[in-house]
Amino acid sequence: MTAAAGVPLIASAGQAVAASGGGRESGGGAATTQAPDRELRKLLKEIDADRIEATVRRLADFGTRHTLSVQDDPERGIGAARDWILAEMKKYAAASGGRMTAELQSYIQEPASRIPVATRITNVVATLRGSVTPDRVYVVAGHYDSRVTDVMDATSDAPGADDDASGVALVMELARVMAKRRPAATIVFTAVAGEEQGLYGSRYAATQFKAAGVDVQGMFTNDIIGSSRADDGTRDPYTVRLFAEGVPTSETPAQANTRRSVGGENDSATRQLARFVSDVGDNDATGMNVRVVYRRDRYLRGGDHIPFLEQGYPAARFTEPAEDFAHQHQDVRVENGKQYGDLPEFCDFDYIARVTRVNGAVLWTLAQAPGTPREARIVTSNLTNDTELKWAPGTEPDLAGYEVVWRETTEPEWTHVIKVGLATTHTVDLSKDNVFFGVRAVNRDGKRSPVAFPMPGN
């Protein structure tokens, strides 16, 4: 099968990987895989498991970080943790040459579910401003509040090492490593509060982004990424789960009708983001396998990416491969000789470092690549057995062109790539009835954006 209008042959998965500059180093698969370059490998080598361990232990040393705990004690409680995180982020910002800022984002939460009295909720936010397209934003988060068995117990020790000092340590380590660099797009590193009480901090952050019209093209929460050990003692130290929804949380009735008509249940912006994570984060530079789970979150559970999904932003959750519930949401105690509680001694700091490398590979590549193409659509003004695609031109100064990707409807990953240059329209000699199409942008360094899934239009 050839593409129309004299363009290059449609590549098979293997051919396309070679054409696009690299293949998956471990596992093989998608035609859209991007191998890590020298710059990225150097960045990932700077991620330090010892620093991550020190951060997790320091956060656990605050005793409790419960959202309702004391906020004005310099040694104990969520306020002490907040101030320490901010001070560390400011140190990283000081090494950025003015590109990074660190600040508190606060509001008063009036009484609500799990919030019995008006309570100040504060996120710690470090923003590394992009040098080329600063208005394009990517967010990485972990929550610094903690809890014990009783979600309303604000005084007992709640070290919260795995849940979620591990995620905060990841965010802080990435902020430290990336502060000295110049991403093309903006990266926001945030430690949010109020997660255990009901996603309050992340919901405030997401609504603030939306109200300001911020172009958040990807958000990741890292929650419970501290251990590779399951409750039965088995270990899977080289796998991280990525939860990614199919049907969008923010979908309108009209959008649902279109999705049902075209069959886009597996092609939401978040699913494209998850494919991108596998494409750039599953290789020998990270040492990890990314296990994408086709769910918004774990069964009947939720995390800080959900408020971003509610606002229509692509967002997904990283979590360890199998949780040990004796060390999560538990009072610190010993029963029948068994230690319970979310203590640092049950964390695997080398594992956290590897998950940090996955996040680092993804965020850096997103920030250096072009943005996801906009207004991608399949022309439906006429019934034909070929497929005409259109999309809006990107504005990046280093934009080199676009690629059309496609796969069989039964395939989970993109299997074919067609290079189309700087054109913003392309016709493929394949029926839209039989396969799925997408479009991605490429810059002069060969970095590719996430795929845009086209909607019907003219």
Side-chain angles (χ1 to χ4, degrees):
M1 182 70 68
T2 59
V7 299
L9 287 173
I10 299 172
S12 67
Q15 292 168 330
V17 167
S20 62
R24 183 171 300 184
E25 303 286 345
S26 60
T32 46
T33 298
Q34 301 185 60
D37 61 14
R38 183 179 300 176
E39 176 188 40
L40 178 56
R41 288 180 181 275
K42 184 175 185 297
L43 183 156
L44 298 181
K45 286 180 180 178
E46 294 178 22
I47 292 169
D48 188 337
D50 291 339
R51 284 180 175 272
I52 288 170
E53 178 177 359
T55 298
V56 171
R57 292 188 181 280
R58 182 68 186 95
L59 288 169
D61 284 345
F62 288 109
T64 180
R65 304 188 307 276
H66 194 283
T67 297
L68 304 177
S69 64
V70 62
Q71 297 201 20
D72 56 1
D73 186 319
E75 301 297 331
R76 182 180 177 86
I78 195 166
R82 170 201 65 210
D83 294 345
W84 180 80
I85 295 168
L86 178 64
E88 292 298 300
M89 291 293 208
K90 284 187 173 181
K91 290 179 186 177
Y92 309 151
S96 73
R99 294 182 300 279
M100 178 182 280
T101 58
E103 60 190 353
L104 300 179
Q105 180 188 58
S106 297
Y107 80 105
I108 301 298
Q109 175 60 53
E110 296 299 329
S113 175
R114 296 185 176 182
I115 305 286
V117 297
T119 302
R120 180 174 295 277
I121 306 288
T122 303
N123 302 325
V124 185
V125 182
T127 302
L128 180 59
R129 186 169 175 81
S131 59
V132 180
T133 54
D135 293 338
R136 176 162 53 96
V137 174
Y138 302 96
V139 181
V140 61
H143 71 85
Y144 71 100
D145 59 305
S146 63
R147 61 166 287 187
V148 289
T149 305
D150 179 359
V151 72
M152 300 305 293
D153 181 350
T155 58
S156 296
D157 281 353
D162 192 2
D163 185 14
D164 184 35
S166 64
V168 174
L170 177 153
V171 170
M172 293 176 68
E173 182 66 358
L174 288 179
R176 182 188 72 85
V177 169
M178 292 186 180
K180 298 171 285 187
R181 292 174 161 83
R182 294 178 179 271
T186 295
I187 305 174
V188 176
F189 310 85
T190 182
V192 300
E195 192 272 349
E196 301 289 7
Q197 304 309 109
L199 313 180
Y200 286 101
S202 60
R203 182 159 286 113
Y204 183 73
T207 55
Q208 292 297 108
F209 278 128
K210 193 69 173 183
V214 177
D215 181 21
V216 178
Q217 293 199 10
M219 183 272 180
F220 301 98
T221 187
N222 285 266
D223 193 355
I224 313 177
I225 50 101
S227 175
S228 60
R229 183 184 183 278
D231 52 8
D232 64 358
T234 59
R235 291 184 180 273
D236 188 359
Y238 300 103
T239 298
V240 62
R241 289 182 292 175
L242 179 68
F243 288 88
E245 72 174 13
V247 176
T249 294
S250 63
E251 185 179 70
T252 66
Q255 289 169 337
N257 285 336
T258 299
R259 172 181 52 77
R260 286 190 289 266
S261 179
V262 304
E265 292 81 7
N266 196 21
D267 282 282
S268 65
T270 295
R271 285 281 164 86
Q272 306 304 345
L273 191 64
R275 291 184 176 105
F276 185 92
V277 171
S278 294
D279 285 347
V280 306
D282 186 335
N283 51 55
D284 70 328
T286 66
M288 292 293 279
N289 167 55
V290 179
R291 180 182 181 182
V292 178
V293 182
Y294 285 173
R295 282 194 171 111
R296 186 172 73 170
D297 207 313
R298 299 146 304 155
Y299 202 78
L300 296 179
R301 299 168 75 187
D304 286 316
H305 59 308
I306 292 177
F308 283 79
L309 294 170
E310 290 170 346
Q311 297 300 327
Y313 294 129
R317 175 194 179 122
F318 285 104
T319 297
E320 63 198 28
E323 299 168 69
D324 185 344
F325 300 108
H327 307 302
Q328 181 186 133
H329 295 188
Q330 292 280 354
D331 294 338
V332 179
R333 67 194 190 279
V334 176
E335 282 186 8
N336 300 318
K338 180 174 181 175
Q339 178 71 62
Y340 289 82
D342 191 355
L343 298 162
E345 62 219 59
F346 298 106
C347 287
D348 177 344
F349 301 105
D350 288 331
Y351 176 79
I352 302 173
R354 287 192 294 274
V355 178
T356 304
R357 292 187 185 101
V358 172
N359 278 256
V362 172
L363 287 164
W364 188 252
T365 307
L366 283 168
Q368 297 299 79
T372 305
R374 298 185 180 278
E375 300 177 35
R377 57 201 186 276
I378 290 177
V379 176
T380 55
S381 54
N382 296 300
L383 290 175
T384 64
N385 281 318
D386 56 20
T387 302
E388 182 183 359
L389 297 108
K390 291 184 177 181
W391 54 93
T395 58
E396 292 86 356
D398 63 344
L399 187 66
Y402 297 92
E403 294 173 341
V404 170
V405 300
W406 67 269
R407 70 183 198 275
E408 295 289 339
T409 62
T410 53
E411 288 286 341
E413 306 293 340
W414 299 110
T415 55
H416 294 71
V417 176
I418 313 166
K419 295 183 178 183
V420 301
L422 281 167
T424 56
T425 181
H426 187 74
T427 299
V428 183
D429 186 16
L430 284 171
S431 172
K432 66 186 76 64
D433 295 333
N434 297 336
V435 301
F436 287 132
F437 290 97
V439 181
R440 66 176 182 174
V442 187
N443 68 13
R444 287 195 291 268
D445 288 335
K447 292 184 172 61
R448 272 83 171 164
S449 74
V451 170
F453 185 68
M455 290 289 106
N458 295 310

